[in-house]
């Protein structure tokens, strides 16, 4: 059995109090189809309770009335404990102005909770960066670029965190964050949807993952299966296609399905609403002083 991920037991989440579809910035969003607030709340509560039941911890950040997408807390910023022990968050600089107020709350929350913070860009100036594009895996932070994150942001990500960043280029409008197409499962395995990526990036990512579970575009888009989180040997997922379940179970994982249909209306699922706070540089990704970016 391959070693379980050490990170993924502590998350930041935003209550869905102000979750609405006020605008459409991805192909899933339609302002004519609004989420049911009570059902969205119940789904969010169940996900939080499930994480806690599995031994995980959840911190919550207060939602903003002016930020209906803030429930997708993964995009508040990328947080990690650095080689010198400092807890550091690189705040997102959202592609769309509609989401930029979220960063005002994120910077306050991180500062109030003992984190130092940095920006790649701010208020539309400088490269954009959305943390839903970033994962530690196999010696790198793997970072998706294109729809939301600019290649230029990765230099700052690598330098700020003191790590090696591998850049992969996203070319699919429906998989606008890497977390819709990629999900690390343990130290050797990950769900990968190569159709989301430019051919050379797909090849590089498949080379990086010793045992990939390749899913189709249809599986990724219709089930949000890659937008899952892993707590030890349990995968918390919004749904698991019949083809995929035996493979995951054969690898020793337990599947926990949580209904996320209301959150899917905004274009996100389990992973998008949970931001890991327990990634450690030097444990989950090697220390590379000064940082390094590997393009693909
Ligand atoms: N409506 C949000 C947006 O388009 C959804 C974000 C989903 N988050 C994620 N990490 N994929 O920005």
């Amino acid at each position: 059995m391959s070693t379980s991920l050490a990170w993924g037991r502590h998350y930041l989440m935003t209550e869905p109090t102000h979750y609405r579809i006020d605008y459409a910035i991805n192909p899933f969003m339609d302002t004519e189809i609004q989420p049911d607030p009570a059902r969205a709340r119940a789904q969010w509560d169940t996900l939080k309770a499930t994480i806690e039941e599995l031994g995980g911890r959840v911190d919550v950040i207060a939602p903003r009335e002016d930020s209906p997408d803030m429930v997708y807390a993964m995009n508040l910023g990328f947080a990690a404990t650095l080689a010198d022990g400092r807890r550091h968050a690189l705040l997102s600089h959202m592609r769309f102005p509609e989401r930029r107020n979220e960063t005002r709350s994120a910077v306050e929350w991180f500062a109030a909770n003992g984190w130092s913070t940095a920006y790649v860009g701010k208020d539309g100036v400088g490269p954009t960066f959305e943390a839903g594009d970033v994962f530690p895996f196999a010696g790198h932070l793997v970072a998706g670029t294109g729809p939301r994150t600019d290649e230029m942001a990765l230099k700052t990500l690598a330098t700020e965190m003191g790590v090696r960043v591998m850049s992969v280029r996203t070319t699919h409008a429906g998989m606008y964050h890497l977390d819709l197409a990629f999900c690390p499962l343990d130290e050797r395995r990950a769900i990968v949807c190569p159709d989301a990526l430019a051919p050379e990036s797909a090849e590089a990512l498949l080379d990086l993952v010793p045992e990939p579970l390749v899913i189709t575009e249809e599986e990724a888009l219709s089930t949000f299966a890659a937008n899952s989180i892993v707590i030890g040997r349990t995968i918390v997922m919004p749904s698991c296609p019949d083809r995929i379940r035996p493979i995951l179970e054969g690898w020793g994982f337990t599947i926990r399905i949580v209904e996320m249909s209301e959150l899917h209306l905004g274009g996100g699922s389990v992973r998008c609403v949970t931001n890991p706070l327990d990634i450690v540089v030097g444990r989950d990704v090697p220390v590379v002083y000064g940082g390094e970016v590997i393009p693909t």
Side-chain angles (χ1 to χ4, degrees):
M1 189 158 76
S2 171
T3 310
S4 301
L5 298 174
W7 60 276
R9 294 173 183 277
H10 183 188
Y11 293 97
L12 179 61
M13 295 178 70
T14 314
E15 300 192 18
T17 322
H18 302 298
Y19 169 49
R20 302 174 304 271
I21 315 294
D22 281 359
Y23 46 80
I25 57 172
N26 70 56
F28 296 94
M29 300 173 88
D30 178 349
T31 54
E32 302 290 307
I33 305 174
Q34 290 298 323
D36 178 272
R39 278 173 50 90
R41 177 79 214 193
Q43 291 175 358
W44 186 93
D45 284 343
T46 300
L47 172 60
K48 179 170 177 285
T50 303
I51 294 170
E52 288 165 344
E53 186 199 312
L54 293 169
R57 171 176 160 201
V58 177
D59 289 345
V60 291
I61 174 172
R64 299 175 64 97
E65 214 280 325
D66 64 8
S67 300
D69 262 335
M70 191 174 162
V71 68
Y72 302 105
M74 186 55 237
N75 297 120
L76 293 173
F78 179 81
T81 301
L82 304 185
D84 62 6
R86 183 163 53 104
R87 296 194 293 161
H88 192 53
L90 187 61
L91 298 158
S92 288
H93 177 210
M94 307 281 194
R95 173 74 79 200
F96 296 100
E98 288 88 337
R99 290 200 68 180
R100 289 191 188 141
N101 280 343
E102 296 176 36
T103 307
R104 298 173 192 271
S105 292
V107 70
E108 278 179 23
W109 187 89
F110 281 110
N113 286 278
W115 297 74
S116 57
T117 55
Y119 292 92
V120 295
K122 200 169 179 265
D123 302 326
V125 181
T128 65
F129 170 67
E130 297 193 9
D133 276 317
V134 182
F135 289 91
F137 191 78
H140 303 71
L141 286 185
V142 182
T145 62
R148 298 297 179 90
T149 296
D150 290 332
E151 182 80 32
M152 279 300 291
L154 302 190
K155 187 73 209 146
T156 309
L157 175 64
T159 313
E160 286 289 329
M161 296 293 159
V163 298
R164 186 178 302 116
V165 173
M166 178 176 136
S167 145
V168 294
R169 198 158 55 83
T170 305
T171 48
H172 195 297
M175 287 180 265
Y176 53 90
H177 282 129
L178 187 62
D179 63 15
L180 297 162
F182 179 58
C183 180
L185 298 172
D186 63 22
E187 287 197 346
R188 295 181 50 81
R189 300 161 176 142
I191 298 174
V192 181
C193 179
D195 295 338
L197 304 171
E200 57 282 6
S201 293
E203 202 178 309
L205 187 55
L206 288 171
D207 280 348
L208 187 71
V209 182
E211 293 181 69
L213 167 47
V214 173
I215 64 170
T216 64
E217 174 187 27
E218 150 75 16
E219 285 167 337
L221 293 176
S222 65
T223 70
F224 283 91
N227 203 252
S228 300
I229 60 170
V230 181
I231 302 178
R233 297 313 286 184
T234 303
I235 310 178
V236 182
M237 15 184 7
S239 61
C240 185
D242 290 344
R243 183 185 78 79
I244 291 171
R245 181 181 282 272
I247 303 172
L248 295 174
E249 289 176 345
W251 281 344
F253 291 103
T254 300
I255 314 272
R256 258 312 265 278
I257 304 293
V258 287
E259 172 73 47
M260 294 293 282
S261 52
E262 298 297 329
L263 281 309
H264 292 175
L265 298 175
S269 195
V270 173
R271 157 77 183 191
C272 299
V273 301
T274 54
N275 191 329
L277 296 174
D278 57 353
I279 293 167
V280 178
V281 174
R283 179 190 70 179
D284 303 319
V285 58
V287 181
V288 176
Y289 289 104
E292 184 190 352
V293 179
I294 307 200
T296 66

